[in-house]
């Protein structure tokens, strides 16, 4: 049986342990396809790096679509909204690591109060141009709670724009 | 490339700024349509009309259909589903099954949608976020829409229905979900890529019309 390795990255407002991620992926596959089908496409979480929040699963070459669907259908882990993003598919672990698991996404923890759209936010972490911010506004906090999230997503250009407008 | 036409930013019901959503979409390799009812310069802009009655829908269409790249009608109620599929100014009937036990698309709606060129939307979020029996019911509704589409020939458009950056899906991911729930590979590609492109092109041509059947052609 030929195997395929699928690299994935967990994107969320917090980090998860290997156990939490494995449980979420397996229960998503079982809920969608059932035990018989999951056994057929042989889905198995091989590795998960808790620091980088990325890892890879193995499945049979005929079950790649089902495996990607199982990953994409995970909407939350331990009550937090997530997106398990498929990074790529490869025939060997070596090629998978070289092609898809070499890029690291570093979050820099920051704490600064900014103003955006006339409301106050506390920027909690940054990665490149993207910032995750904690709102102080009640309505936005309620909206985030409904979506099972902690931070709103803005970009540095958003925040700069607000500063420019304030200056003007 | 997946053209996701129903995404909400912080400016309507979402939690992320438009710029952040566009950034995430670029990293996923998809094109985004922000359905906030705001005409953006740097992104596809749509409007989602939520009307209580047919009269209110027509009134809202009259004022907003020319200002946006596409028009979405918030479906769910039987009378709105029927009214929306009758009007050629409507581009997408969103989630006709919302809050219903059935798919919200019957033979009449299917025929009208095929004739007027209104695409019926299936949103991935309703499948992804549902669990257990709720997901089974949701998949039954999607299957019904798919069957009617095959019989009557109306277009299905698939969107993420995202209100946050974590609810967006890439082309491969969306294709995998659709083929797992009964779409053929060709149907999935059409619903994700070709139908949205056709909607945008149709709207572009319609905007150039200065009178019924008369279009302004630029040199």
């Amino acid at each position: 049986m030929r195997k395929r390795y699928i690299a994935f990255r967990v994107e969320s407002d917090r980090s998860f342990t290997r156990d939490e991620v494995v449980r979420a992926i397996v229960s998503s596959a079982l809920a969608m396809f059932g035990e018989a089908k999951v056994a057929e496409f042989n889905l198995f979480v091989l590795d998960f790096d808790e620091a980088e929040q990325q890892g890879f699963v193995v499945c049979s070459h005929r079950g790649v679509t089902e495996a990607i669907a199982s990953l994409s259908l995970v909407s939350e882990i331990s009550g937090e909204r997530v997106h398990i993003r498929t990074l790529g598919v490869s025939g060997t672990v070596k090629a998978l690591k070289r092609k898809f698991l070499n890029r690291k996404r570093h979050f820099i923890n920051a704490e600064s109060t900014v103003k955006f759209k006339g409301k106050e936010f506390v920027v909690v972490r940054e990665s490149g141009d993207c910032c995750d911010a904690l709102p102080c506004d009640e309505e936005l906090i309620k909206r985030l709670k409904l979506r099972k999230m902690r931070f709103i997503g803005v970009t540095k250009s958003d925040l700069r724009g607000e500063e420019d407008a304030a200056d003007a | 490339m997946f053209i996701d036409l129903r995404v909400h930013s912080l400016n309507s019901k979402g939690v992320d700024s438009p710029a952040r959503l566009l950034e995430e979409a670029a990293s996923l390799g998809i094109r985004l349509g922000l359905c906030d009812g705001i005409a953006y310069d740097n992104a596809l802009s749509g409007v989602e009309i939520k009307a209580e009655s047919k009269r209110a829908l027509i009134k809202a269409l009259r004022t907003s259909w020319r200002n946006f790249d596409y028009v979405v009608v918030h479906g769910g109620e039987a009378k709105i589903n029927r009214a929306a599929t009758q009007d050629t100014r409507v581009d997408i009937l969103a989630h006709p099954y919302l809050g219903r036990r059935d798919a919200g698309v019957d033979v009449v709606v299917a025929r009208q949608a095929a004739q007027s060129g209104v695409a019926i939307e299936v949103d991935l979020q309703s499948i992804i976020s549902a669990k257990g029996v709720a997901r089974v019911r949701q998949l039954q509704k999607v299957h019904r829409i798919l069957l009617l589409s095959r019989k009557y020939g109306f277009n299905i458009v698939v969107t993420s229905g995202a209100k946050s950056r974590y609810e967006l899906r890439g082309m491969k991911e969306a294709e995998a979900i659709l083929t797992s729930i009964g779409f053929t590979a060709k149907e999935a590609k059409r619903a994700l890529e070709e139908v949205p492109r056709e909607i945008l092109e149709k709207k572009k041509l319609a905007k150039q019309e200065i009178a019924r059947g008369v279009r302004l052609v630029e040199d």
Side-chain angles (χ1 to χ4, degrees):
Chain A
M1 185 192 66
R2 277 181 287 169
K3 289 177 184 172
R4 288 291 177 270
Y5 300 91
I6 304 170
F8 67 87
R9 185 170 63 218
V10 179
E11 296 186 344
S12 180
D13 288 344
R14 77 163 175 96
S15 301
F16 298 97
T17 61
R18 186 197 145 93
D19 276 358
E20 284 176 309
V21 174
V22 171
R23 217 176 300 134
I25 293 172
V26 172
S27 47
S28 163
L30 286 174
M32 191 64 188
F33 300 103
E35 290 162 358
K37 188 91 174 160
V38 174
E40 210 175 280
F41 67 80
N42 245 325
L43 183 74
F44 193 78
V45 183
L46 273 188
D47 189 30
F48 183 71
D49 181 350
E50 288 180 8
E52 293 299 329
Q53 292 289 298
Q54 56 189 23
F56 57 95
V57 297
V58 63
C59 64
S60 80
H61 77 287
R62 286 184 196 277
V64 173
T65 307
E66 286 83 353
I68 294 176
S70 304
L71 293 173
S72 310
L73 284 167
V74 178
S75 64
E76 54 178 273
I77 302 176
S78 308
E80 293 267 347
R81 178 77 59 181
V82 299
H83 174 203
I84 299 191
R85 185 186 286 204
T86 306
L87 301 174
V89 183
S90 179
T92 62
V93 174
K94 194 178 171 187
L96 189 86
K97 284 186 175 171
R98 193 188 65 236
K99 284 185 202 164
F100 308 112
L101 296 173
N102 57 355
R103 269 172 259 152
K104 296 186 183 351
R105 192 177 190 186
H106 285 299
F107 276 111
I108 304 162
N109 290 329
E111 198 148 312
S112 56
T113 309
V114 290
K115 258 191 154 188
F116 175 57
K117 289 193 179 290
K119 288 169 185 166
E120 270 197 4
F121 296 93
V122 179
V123 174
V124 179
R125 54 184 199 175
E126 298 173 7
S127 173
D129 195 36
C130 301
C131 304
D132 291 345
L134 203 64
C136 303
D137 181 60
E138 277 295 317
E139 197 263 325
L140 276 178
I141 294 170
K142 223 184 262 178
R143 225 190 265 188
L144 280 172
K145 220 176 213 176
L146 199 71
R147 307 234 71 76
K148 294 174 181 166
M149 289 170 66
R150 296 179 185 196
F151 313 127
I152 68 151
V154 288
T155 60
K156 283 180 183 165
S157 51
D158 280 330
L159 304 176
R160 272 197 302 273
E162 185 62 26
E163 280 163 16
D164 292 345
D167 290 343
Chain B
M1 182 193 268
F2 174 22
I3 307 174
D4 189 351
L5 290 183
R6 203 168 64 83
V7 177
H8 294 282
S9 81
L10 196 61
N11 294 329
S12 56
K13 302 180 239 175
V15 294
D16 297 308
S17 75
R20 178 65 184 268
L21 287 170
L22 290 170
E23 187 107 350
E24 294 288 336
S27 75
L28 280 168
I30 63 171
R31 199 171 167 205
L32 220 63
L34 293 168
C35 210
D36 290 333
I38 296 169
Y40 295 103
D41 295 330
N42 54 350
L44 292 170
S45 321
V47 60
E48 185 171 343
I49 298 173
K50 194 174 179 182
E52 297 288 316
S53 63
K54 188 178 174 180
R55 183 181 281 206
L57 174 66
I58 291 169
K59 198 176 167 193
L61 277 170
R62 207 178 293 142
T63 53
S64 60
W65 87 279
R66 269 186 191 273
N67 304 333
F68 298 96
D69 296 319
Y70 58 96
V71 173
V72 179
V73 172
H74 185 94
E77 261 191 82
K79 60 181 179 187
I80 297 298
N81 290 350
R82 286 203 178 188
T85 47
Q86 270 174 351
D87 204 311
T88 51
R89 290 172 297 183
V90 177
D91 297 304
I92 299 169
L93 171 63
H95 45 64
Y97 38 74
L98 190 74
R100 301 180 63 83
R101 279 168 167 261
D102 60 11
V105 180
D106 53 16
V107 175
V108 178
V109 171
R111 278 207 187 114
Q112 282 178 178
Q115 273 172 10
S116 56
V118 176
I120 307 281
E121 185 222 31
V122 168
D123 68 313
L124 293 175
Q125 210 34 238
S126 65
I127 300 166
I128 294 169
S129 57
K131 299 272 177 293
V133 181
R135 186 182 276 174
V136 173
R137 295 274 173 270
Q138 187 55 34
L139 291 178
Q140 284 172 339
K141 292 172 191 175
V142 174
H143 286 155
R144 176 81 183 142
I145 292 174
L146 191 57
L147 274 175
L148 286 168
S149 164
R150 284 172 186 160
K151 189 169 179 186
Y152 294 99
F154 63 81
N155 286 327
I156 293 179
V157 63
V158 173
T159 69
S160 67
K163 292 189 182 83
S164 78
R165 56 196 181 276
Y166 301 134
E167 292 168 15
L168 295 172
R169 292 293 180 269
M171 177 74 181
K172 282 268 182 299
E173 293 169 329
E175 261 181 331
I177 293 172
L178 292 180
T179 48
S180 301
I181 64 171
F183 282 64
T184 62
K186 205 175 164 188
E187 282 169 339
K189 195 171 167 25
R190 184 157 169 72
L192 292 165
E193 200 174 352
E194 290 166 21
V195 173
R197 196 177 298 135
E198 284 169 18
I199 287 171
L200 296 172
E201 277 166 16
K202 191 184 94 180
K203 189 74 184 179
K204 212 173 171 185
L205 288 177
K207 274 183 172 179
Q208 291 172 351
E209 266 193 19
I210 47 172
R212 191 172 267 258
V214 184
R215 204 168 65 230
L216 198 67
V217 183
E218 285 174 35
D219 281 336

